[in-house]
Amino acid sequence: MIDHDDAGTVRPSTLAWASRYLNDGERIVATEALHGGITAEMRRLTIGASDGGTRDLVLRSFVDPAFVAHAEDMLNREAGTLALLTGTGVPAPGPVAVDATAAHCEHPSLLMTHLAGRTVLDDQGLEARVPLLARQLVAIHALRPAERPREYRAWTTADAVVPPDGADATAWAAATDVIRRPPPPYEGRFLHRDFQPGNVLFHVPPPGPAGPRVTGVVDWVETSWGPADLDVAHCSSNLAMLHGPAWGLRFAEAYEEAGGTLAAAADERLYWRLLDALGFSTSVRWVARPWQEAGRTELTTRAVEQRLDAHVTALMDALG
């Protein structure tokens, strides 16, 4: 987990590196921490031009030793994905520069364009946002790049699952047995792999006839090739923990309503949904922290664990 105590500060070596990629007459005039990241520090760099105008860039830096060890692969993969997404219609940042080995920066870093909009994690307005999330994910899955990204990687195993205190032991034991099975066959799709409300930006207008719209999708470090069900499962798990288990079930419906295709058999759908949900069993406190920082202080680790338990139980009841 990253430490936000040094909010906004960017090391001189990193600022000097980023300055190399500015236009003539531009300079970095301000930096600001962007909260919400789990694996990396995010900073907004305000760029001033000689005519008085400004624009923003975003700097991702891996500072936690646990993630620095993997930073080269992750940052190069994200930079490549952002380049691939340019011109596809998927609203993603554009890559500006990458120093994946910290040859010039204090820490391994990626510099990218800044997108308008903000993450929205409140319960209010969720009914309107869920279909937008689903439509955006269908558009991502429709991409057919000339070169496929790496195959997906499971983020847990049956032996690594640790049910939360007070969880329904019977349901969790049955759920764990589900993911002991070999993965079902699937038709591969281009996956974001961490598609969830914290990685989607919205424009939310004042009350009126115009509704919210998606303005960006960020954090492409885990881009993979795999089953659409897995991306749907990940967003469903996050929605269940953030807003309640009913929304975990609702998202899969919204995805199909938007034209997406999921596994035909209920047992196959259950496998992918549980493979993702059970992966949170040992990481709830890391997941909850950005939500708390965003103002959802009621989402304590215990509260989110209870929602995760309810989500797993709901999946077993609905699909098991």
Side-chain angles (χ1 to χ4, degrees):
M1 172 61 66
I2 60 176
D3 186 353
H4 296 298
D5 291 343
D6 202 17
T9 302
V10 181
R11 300 292 185 180
S13 59
T14 304
L15 289 175
W17 170 79
S19 296
R20 299 179 192 175
Y21 300 95
L22 305 182
N23 299 324
D24 290 343
E26 289 185 330
R27 62 188 182 90
I28 299 170
V29 297
T31 65
E32 177 188 358
L34 298 175
H35 296 298
I38 295 177
T39 61
E41 288 186 347
M42 305 296 294
R43 300 285 186 266
R44 174 163 46 210
L45 309 184
T46 300
I47 312 303
S50 56
D51 63 2
T54 62
R55 65 186 179 101
D56 292 328
L57 296 175
V58 172
L59 177 73
R60 176 198 290 276
S61 296
F62 284 88
V63 301
D64 188 323
F67 295 105
V68 167
H70 307 285
E72 183 174 3
D73 285 344
M74 296 173 77
L75 290 177
N76 283 329
R77 183 165 57 250
E78 181 167 31
T81 299
L82 296 184
L84 179 153
L85 292 170
T86 302
T88 63
V90 173
V96 175
V98 61
D99 180 13
T101 61
H104 307 285
C105 301
E106 181 75 12
H107 305 287
S109 298
L110 171 65
L111 188 65
M112 64 194 102
T113 59
H114 177 268
L115 299 176
R118 61 183 178 88
T119 57
V120 183
L121 304 179
D122 299 332
D123 290 336
Q124 183 178 3
L126 182 60
E127 187 172 348
R129 297 195 304 275
V130 163
L132 300 179
L133 289 169
R135 287 200 288 271
Q136 184 60 71
L137 189 55
V138 169
I140 291 170
H141 291 167
L143 296 175
R144 296 293 182 269
E147 183 177 346
R148 292 181 181 179
R150 65 174 186 170
E151 289 291 318
Y152 83 91
R153 298 178 182 178
W155 291 344
T156 194
T157 65
D159 292 336
V161 173
V162 180
D165 290 341
D168 185 325
T170 300
W172 278 74
T176 303
D177 284 342
V178 170
I179 68 168
R180 289 188 193 279
R181 307 170 190 165
Y186 62 86
E187 183 178 355
R189 291 286 186 268
F190 184 88
L191 306 183
H192 180 282
R193 198 62 179 94
D194 192 14
F195 187 88
Q196 42 94 2
N199 285 332
V200 179
L201 307 178
F202 284 91
H203 169 68
V204 181
R213 59 183 175 86
V214 173
T215 60
V217 181
V218 299
D219 197 353
W220 295 84
V221 298
E222 295 291 346
T223 303
S224 310
W225 188 261
D229 287 78
L230 198 51
D231 260 357
V232 171
H234 191 65
C235 194
S236 295
S237 297
N238 277 271
L239 287 169
M241 293 185 290
L242 184 57
H243 301 294
W247 291 104
L249 296 176
R250 169 66 186 129
F251 184 70
E253 298 173 354
Y255 179 82
E256 291 187 296
E257 291 166 1
T261 302
L262 296 174
D267 62 337
E268 295 177 355
R269 295 186 182 206
L270 181 62
Y271 176 90
W272 300 116
R273 300 283 287 278
L274 290 174
L275 184 66
D276 184 81
L278 298 180
F280 286 102
S281 69
T282 58
S283 61
V284 166
R285 69 189 182 101
W286 305 121
V287 173
R289 179 173 171 175
W291 298 342
Q292 295 161 2
E293 291 175 347
R296 297 294 305 273
T297 54
E298 80 281 11
L299 294 178
T300 62
T301 298
R302 181 62 184 145
V304 177
E305 285 178 340
Q306 290 173 337
R307 287 186 172 183
L308 177 62
D309 178 37
H311 178 52
V312 170
T313 302
L315 289 175
M316 294 300 294
D317 289 342
L319 299 172

